[in-house]
């Protein structure tokens, strides 16, 4: 009964918001396309996901989250997995193994309540280092695989001149945040691809069809590659940025209504979406705080915005199906390269806040019982900022040098804890001196009592 009341309240909120500001809800539905479109297209063209299946299951996830939560909760690609999949040319089975591994891991973390513990164990600079490394990997892949192979002026529909034009448009759009750059460039690319496909001798291959799902069962090697190379570095990103950060941001953006979703609920949503869709070739997905902020910025204030987006994706996946694939194969690599570059830069931008990433529990533990001067505290803060930057850069270096985010993750952890050794040693010495002082004080009191007697 409680669930029925909750769903009825959320539905009334969604409908009321849509009636009050329909254009804002429609605009807000496009707020996260800049992340979704380039990664989904790139993974499709690399044959690492099944596009119709991705549209069907991500659309269903959009609709369900909009109905249940009543906020514009995005359905994004798992960026670290997408980066590894694109840069290392995964097979579809390896990609599905990565998504299924993430689904199992997040389900266990949600069911056991370990999300908060994992937030404390994984240092924030390491997480940001993985994000920055993934962003740089996307940028490098956009340049080396998509833009550099192009000629300067031929063919006319796809050249470096088009890439320069798209980049100048991207720089201009940065001054006008409400302009849906990804949608405009994507629409232009689809128009060009349609013209090229219509004039090619194989234009008759373009035809719509009903979605026919296929089941993908990864083999042993695919499980190992997907879990170690892609899922392992994605795990802290998903738990921190796609679950904990989403809960915190939704509480800030919607302080009164609708109710803030719990971390456990968001975790189960991510887990179930991947445990169901990845068996059929769907792209590994999660919820992202950046996408929530983007959709809110473009006007979304309820779950109806993502319901609209999900319905469009579902219809395309069900009834257009594989007809989109030959169209996307003609998509100009110049435009796609700039879109992927923009997504990589946006992902790497999170590194600029690494100096503010000290955990609250650690700060409280350090300050407890310490009466220190302002200069000492300032020096410690500056040193910690330098340490955070170093840990993040070591993580990035490991990711890029070995083209393996797992190595970067381990390198960052080792470097972080090595920098913490002096502090831990000082803390142990301080605790030992306090115990010695406590042991000596009773002896001193006994001696004075003996003398006075």
């Amino acid at each position: 009964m409680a669930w029925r009341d909750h769903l009825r309240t959320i539905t009334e909120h969604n409908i009321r918001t849509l009636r009050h500001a329909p254009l804002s809800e429609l605009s807000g539905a496009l707020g996260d396309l800049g992340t979704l479109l380039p990664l989904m297209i790139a993974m499709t063209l690399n044959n690492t996901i099944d596009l119709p299946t991705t549209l069907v299951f991500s659309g269903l996830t959009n609709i369900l989250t909009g109905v249940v939560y009543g906020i514009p909760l995005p359905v994004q690609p798992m960026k670290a997995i997408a980066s590894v999949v694109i840069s290392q040319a995964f097979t579809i089975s390896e990609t599905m193994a990565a998504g299924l591994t993430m689904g199992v891991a997040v389900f266990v973390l949600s069911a056991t309540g370990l999300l908060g513990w994992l937030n404390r164990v994984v240092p924030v600079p390491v997480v940001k280092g993985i994000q920055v490394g993934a962003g740089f990997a996307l940028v490098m892949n956009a340049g080396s695989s998509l833009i550099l192979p192009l000629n300067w002026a031929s063919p006319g529909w796809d050249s470096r001149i088009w890439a320069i034009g798209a980049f100048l448009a991207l720089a201009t759009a940065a001054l006008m945040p409400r302009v849906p750059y990804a949608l405009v460039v994507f629409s232009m690319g689809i128009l060009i691809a349609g013209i090229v496909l219509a004039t090619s001798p194989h234009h008759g291959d373009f035809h719509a069809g009903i979605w026919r799902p296929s089941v993908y069962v990864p083999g042993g090697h695919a499980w190992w590659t997907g879990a170690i190379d892609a899922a392992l570095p994605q795990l802290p990103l998903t738990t921190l940025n796609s679950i904990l950060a989403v809960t915190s941001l939704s509480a800030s953006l919607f302080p009164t209504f609708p109710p803030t979703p719990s971390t456990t609920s968001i975790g189960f949503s991510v887990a179930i979406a991947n445990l169901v869709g990845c068996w059929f070739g769907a792209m590994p997905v999660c919820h992202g705080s950046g996408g929530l902020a983007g959709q809110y910025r473009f006007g979304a204030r309820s779950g109806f915005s993502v319901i609209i987006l999900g319905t469009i994706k579902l219809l395309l996946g069900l009834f257009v199906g594989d007809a989109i694939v030959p169209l996307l194969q003609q998509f100009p690599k110049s435009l796609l390269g700039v879109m992927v570059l923009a997504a990589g830069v946006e992902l790497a931008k999170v590194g600029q806040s690494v100096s503010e990433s000290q955990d609250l529990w650690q700060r409280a533990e350090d300050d407890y019982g310490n009466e220190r001067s302002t200069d000492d505290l300032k020096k410690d803060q500056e040193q910690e900022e330098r340490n955070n930057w170093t840990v993040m850069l070591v993580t990035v270096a490991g990711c890029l040098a070995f083209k393996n985010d797992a190595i970067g993750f381990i390198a960052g952890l080792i470097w972080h804890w090595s920098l913490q050794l002096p502090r831990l040693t000082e803390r142990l010495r301080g605790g030992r001196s306090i115990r010695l002082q406590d042991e000596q004080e009773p002896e001193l009191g006994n001696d004075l009592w003996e003398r006075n007697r």
Side-chain angles (χ1 to χ4, degrees), residues 49-50 52-58 60-61 92 95-97 99-100 103 211 213-216 269-285:
I49 61 171
D50 184 271
T53 301
T54 295
L55 292 173
V56 168
F57 282 101
S58 64
L60 287 173
T61 306
I92 190 169
T95 305
M96 296 308 101
L100 291 169
W211 174 57
S214 300
V215 177
Y216 295 88
S269 176
V270 172
I272 293 173
N274 288 283
L275 288 176
V276 176
C278 287
W279 288 112
F280 300 93
M283 176 179 63
V285 295

Side-chain angles (χ1 to χ4, degrees), residues 1-58:
M1 191 64 181
W3 266 103
R4 291 182 180 179
D5 294 338
H6 172 79
L7 293 178
R8 185 183 302 111
T9 303
I10 295 299
T11 301
E12 293 174 355
H13 164 71
N14 289 339
I15 296 175
R16 183 171 58 251
T17 305
L18 181 66
R19 289 177 177 175
H20 177 70
L23 293 180
S24 295
E25 291 297 295
L26 289 173
S27 176
L30 308 176
D32 195 39
L33 290 183
T35 300
L36 173 67
L37 291 180
L39 296 179
M40 185 174 67
I41 293 173
M43 294 173 74
T44 298
L45 296 183
N46 285 348
N47 296 319
T48 54
I49 61 171
D50 184 271
L51 180 60
T53 301
T54 295
L55 292 173
V56 168
F57 282 101
S58 64

